[in-house]
Amino acid sequence: MRRRSSLTAEKDSDPELKQRPGRAAAHPATRGRQGPGEEPRMGKRPFRRLGLLGKIKRMMMVLLFVYVSIPFIIKLFPSIQAKLVFLNFVRVPYFIDLKRPLDQGLNHTHNLYLEPEAGLKIGVWHTVPAQMWRDAQDKDGDWYRSTFSSAHPVILYLHGNAGTRGGDHRVQLYKVLSSLGYHVVTFDYRGWGDSDGSPSERGMTSDALFIYDWLRQRMEKTLPLYIWGHSLGTG
């Protein structure tokens, strides 16, 4: 009895000999080792950065999503399509006074406004041939209209979407055509530049036909009237 009691007391005093019910005490030498039938413990995986191929795949997925979404967005919001086609809200260069073509380097150009419809005004520029630039100084609209009866042919320029009749690249074209001996007449469709109204395909066509007829009434019948369209203006 004394020997059994001493063994029990020794067992209780030694924490290594204590056992939980139903489980055997683990020997210090076997701690951390995988026993038979035990599942391996999974440690935390280190964070892996995306490689170049992974970044390209992710970018392609984003582009594909945007590409597929565009038709649905346009279907739900038709007004967006008109904005993307006409881009009339883009004015480059900004902060220019279209009433003063001289500020754009056109010292032989007259600004005027015509009404293709009642209550609707569109802005127009008339650049005379470069040979007339001296005579054009400080002249009014009546003088510019009288020059259509000269022997110089006329080019009606229909600009594309975005910007105004005062765009830098367009101004350079007016100068080139003027130096070749042409009258150059250009305008901003309704909804563009300082013209009234809102843009539409029908409105653009109506404005172009109105300016064409207006020129024909003031030109010599024998002189040609050329139409130069760019981008959207070719339609």
Side-chain angles (χ1 to χ4, degrees), residues 79-136:
S79 60
I80 295 179
Q81 182 179 9
K83 292 290 185 182
L84 294 176
V85 171
F86 298 132
L87 295 177
N88 61 303
F89 57 90
V90 178
R91 295 191 59 171
V92 180
Y94 294 95
F95 310 116
I96 66 170
D97 187 358
L98 294 172
K99 297 182 180 66
R100 292 179 52 83
L102 180 61
D103 294 345
Q104 299 302 106
L106 296 171
N107 60 357
H108 52 307
T109 299
H110 176 62
N111 177 73
L112 64 149
Y113 295 93
L114 300 176
E115 291 190 8
E117 298 176 7
L120 179 71
K121 293 182 179 180
I122 58 176
V124 183
W125 278 0
H126 172 203
T127 302
V128 296
Q131 297 90 323
M132 299 182 179
W133 78 269
R134 291 185 183 275
D135 298 332

Side-chain angles (χ1 to χ4, degrees), residues 3-215:
R3 184 174 181 82
R4 182 177 297 178
S5 299
S6 62
L7 289 174
T8 303
E10 183 180 355
K11 180 179 178 181
D12 292 338
S13 62
D14 190 353
E16 295 294 337
L17 297 178
K18 291 182 178 180
Q19 300 181 10
R20 294 183 181 179
R23 297 185 62 181
H27 192 274
T30 62
R31 289 179 182 176
R33 297 181 182 178
Q34 179 181 343
E38 293 184 2
E39 296 183 358
R41 296 181 180 179
M42 301 297 293
K44 293 184 178 180
R45 293 184 177 180
F47 177 75
R48 297 178 61 185
R49 294 183 179 179
L50 286 176
L52 178 61
L53 183 60
K55 291 180 180 179
I56 293 176
K57 287 182 178 180
R58 179 171 292 183
M59 186 180 299
M60 293 299 294
M61 291 298 295
V62 172
L63 292 177
L64 179 61
F65 175 77
V66 173
Y67 178 79
V68 174
S69 301
I70 288 176
F72 294 98
I73 295 175
I74 293 177
K75 183 68 175 179
L76 294 174
F77 306 99
S79 60
I80 295 179
Q81 182 179 9
K83 292 290 185 182
L84 294 176
V85 171
F86 298 132
L87 295 177
N88 61 303
F89 57 90
V90 178
R91 295 191 59 171
V92 180
Y94 294 95
F95 310 116
I96 66 170
D97 187 358
L98 294 172
K99 297 182 180 66
R100 292 179 52 83
L102 180 61
D103 294 345
Q104 299 302 106
L106 296 171
N107 60 357
H108 52 307
T109 299
H110 176 62
N111 177 73
L112 64 149
Y113 295 93
L114 300 176
E115 291 190 8
E117 298 176 7
L120 179 71
K121 293 182 179 180
I122 58 176
V124 183
W125 278 0
H126 172 203
T127 302
V128 296
Q131 297 90 323
M132 299 182 179
W133 78 269
R134 291 185 183 275
D135 298 332
Q137 304 309 304
D138 300 324
K139 294 298 192 300
D140 58 9
D142 292 336
W143 181 87
Y144 275 88
R145 281 190 292 271
S146 68
T147 60
F148 285 125
S149 60
S150 65
H152 297 278
V154 179
I155 292 179
L156 173 58
Y157 178 74
L158 308 177
H159 69 69
N161 59 359
T164 66
R165 63 187 185 276
D168 292 336
H169 62 292
R170 292 164 184 162
V171 169
Q172 296 305 316
L173 178 61
Y174 310 154
K175 292 179 179 179
V176 171
L177 297 177
S178 173
S179 67
L180 296 176
Y182 293 95
H183 291 271
V184 181
V185 176
T186 185
F187 65 97
D188 281 321
Y189 315 101
R190 62 187 70 189
W192 270 265
D194 56 353
S195 297
D196 299 335
S198 300
S200 67
E201 181 180 355
R202 182 177 180 181
M204 291 177 59
T205 304
S206 177
D207 294 342
L209 291 175
F210 172 81
I211 298 295
Y212 179 88
D213 293 337
W214 183 84
L215 288 172

